Amino acid sequence: MGLPDHHLAEGELRIRAFHPHWKRLVVPFLALLVIIVASSAAIFLMPAFEYDSYARIAVAVIAVGLLTVWSFVPYLQWKNTSYVLTSHRLTISLGVLNKSSEDIPMSKVNTVSADQTLFERMLGSGTLNVESAGEQGHVTLRDIPNIQDVRAELFRAVDEADDEEPRTPRPAEP
């Protein structure tokens, strides 16, 4: 998911790989149920008339279109959004047809903070804010599952990256 093992650098270990929280799929799932129930009722309860077969086909086509836009596409977006935390970097991959990836090296991470609403605290999700010394500077990741565990693992990875970072030697004193 997100970052295949053969793309890891030598000595780089995968700490955690995950998708956004499942709560992003609640509305698409409810849309799926409503569309299926409504279109089934419309098809089976439609009175008989001269062009009823065309009307049933039209209802089915509209239902498939709505299912695609309101259920299938959000599911694909959720499934193709992945976060991979390794010992060297945090990788964010987005996109269904067009793929975009962003890597934040652990050595560049300055600040990590987490925000949670009451509802998110009950679900164990939240928003992770990562500030780095990179080009973009600030990345906000919404709907992160197990936010406190991810935050703790990210802190550990940053600390380990700082410990492994080579220090410049001081010039010898005369």
Side-chain angles (χ1 to χ4, degrees), residues 2-174:
L3 186 67
D5 286 338
H6 65 274
H7 287 187
L8 296 177
E10 187 176 324
E12 186 175 15
L13 301 172
R14 183 186 315 266
I15 298 171
R16 180 182 284 241
F18 53 95
H19 295 290
H21 197 270
W22 57 263
K23 75 178 186 177
R24 280 195 186 176
L25 296 177
V26 170
V27 172
F29 180 73
L30 291 175
L32 173 85
L33 294 177
V34 168
I35 292 167
I36 288 174
V37 168
S39 62
S40 297
I43 288 172
F44 292 115
L45 299 176
M46 188 177 295
F49 62 96
E50 185 177 353
Y51 298 107
D52 64 346
S53 59
Y54 294 121
R56 286 186 173 92
I57 291 171
V59 168
V61 168
I62 291 170
V64 167
L66 291 175
L67 283 172
T68 300
V69 172
W70 289 346
S71 292
F72 189 60
V73 169
Y75 171 75
L76 284 178
Q77 288 172 336
W78 174 84
K79 187 70 175 165
N80 288 294
T81 299
S82 65
Y83 308 110
V84 179
L85 178 61
T86 71
S87 56
H88 291 64
R89 58 188 160 165
L90 173 64
T91 300
I92 304 157
S93 298
L94 307 166
V96 178
L97 299 176
N98 297 328
K99 208 65 161 157
S100 115
S101 293
E102 182 176 354
D103 291 331
I104 303 171
M106 288 299 145
S107 60
K108 301 283 186 195
V109 173
N110 294 332
T111 307
V112 178
S113 64
D115 297 322
Q116 290 179 292
T117 63
L118 178 62
F119 182 66
E120 287 175 330
R121 287 183 66 192
M122 290 188 289
L123 293 176
S125 69
T127 300
L128 189 68
N129 296 300
V130 180
E131 289 186 31
S132 67
E135 187 177 304
Q136 212 167 25
H138 182 84
V139 177
T140 300
L141 308 173
R142 299 195 191 302
D143 299 326
I144 302 297
N146 304 313
I147 186 76
Q148 296 305 332
D149 294 340
V150 171
R151 185 171 174 242
E153 289 170 345
L154 187 55
F155 274 131
R156 264 185 248 120
V158 168
D159 284 343
E160 289 173 8
D162 286 343
D163 292 343
E164 292 175 6
E165 191 173 299
R167 308 280 190 240
T168 54
R170 293 184 188 155
E173 293 181 22

